[in-house]
Amino acid sequence: MSTRKYIGITVLVLILIVIIFAGGMLYKMKQFNDVEQYLSRQEDAAKSNREKLKGRFILKGAKCAGFTFTGNKTVLWTNEMFCNDPDSLNIQWINDSTFTTKSITRNNTDCPPGVELYEIVSYNSSSLLLKSTWLGWGEHDPEILEFTKAE
C-alpha cells in the first residue's frame, strides 16, 4: 500500500472516532435532559400536592387530633389529649404522594427525633387517607389513617 492510502485510512479512522465520540456525547446529553425533565416533572407534581394540601384535617373518630398543613416546610400535629398545644413538625416532600415528618422540638437528648413516612393513598377536597410508616426505634406496623377536612 502506498503512503496516501495509509494517510487516507488513518484520516477515515480518526473521523469515525470523532463521530462515535460525538454521538456518545449527544446520547449522554439526551439522557441527562430526559432525567432532568423527569425530575422537573416530579418536582412539579410534588409542588402541586404541597399547594393543594392546605388546612386542618381531623383524624376519623377524634375530636381534635390531626394535621394542620401550614406551608411547604412545617405541619402541625394536634394530639387528642392536648387540643390547644399542637406539635410543630418539619415536612419534606419526597415525591407527588410521599412525605416525611420530623419532630422539631427535642424532648429527650438521648433519643433521635420522631420521624414518620406518609404516603397519600387518596385525597380530595374533603378527605385525606394516609399510610403511615414509623421510621424510628422500635417495631410498628404501617397503618392507614383517615382524615376529614375541618371546616
Side-chain angles (χ1 to χ4, degrees):
M1 269 198 225
S2 69
T3 306
R4 280 187 147 176
K5 281 188 176 182
Y6 281 126
I7 292 174
I9 291 173
T10 304
V11 168
L12 282 174
V13 168
L14 288 174
I15 290 172
L16 283 174
I17 290 172
V18 167
I19 290 172
I20 290 170
F21 178 76
M25 291 298 290
L26 288 173
Y27 178 73
K28 284 183 179 180
M29 287 172 59
K30 179 173 179 355
Q31 279 185 320
F32 178 76
N33 285 337
D34 290 346
V35 169
E36 193 174 75
Q37 288 171 357
Y38 172 78
L39 292 175
S40 175
R41 277 181 279 170
Q42 290 295 328
E43 174 103 1
D44 289 345
K47 281 181 185 175
S48 69
N49 249 349
R50 280 183 242 162
E51 292 165 3
K52 286 189 281 184
L53 200 57
K54 297 283 186 207
R56 183 148 171 69
F57 291 85
I58 306 294
L59 191 60
K60 183 179 180 180
K63 183 178 100 182
C64 63
F67 281 117
T68 303
F69 293 90
T70 58
N72 293 338
K73 300 284 185 187
T74 59
V75 64
L76 301 176
W77 171 257
T78 303
N79 289 309
E80 190 68 12
M81 295 174 63
F82 305 102
C83 292
N84 295 324
D85 189 22
D87 297 322
S88 295
L89 308 170
N90 285 328
I91 185 171
Q92 182 171 1
W93 287 91
I94 296 171
N95 61 33
D96 179 39
S97 62
T98 310
F99 63 91
T100 61
T101 60
K102 180 177 72 172
S103 299
I104 293 175
T105 305
R106 190 165 190 173
N107 297 326
N108 184 341
T109 57
D110 295 332
C111 294
V115 177
E116 290 202 47
L117 176 72
Y118 293 95
E119 181 182 348
I120 299 173
V121 176
S122 69
Y123 171 65
N124 63 42
S125 60
S126 62
S127 67
L128 174 64
L129 200 61
L130 296 176
K131 178 181 176 185
S132 170
T133 304
W134 171 254
L135 299 177
W137 292 342
E139 295 294 322
H140 299 280
D141 291 331
E143 60 182 319
I144 301 294
L145 305 172
E146 189 174 343
F147 298 88
T148 303
K149 179 101 181 212
E151 297 174 14

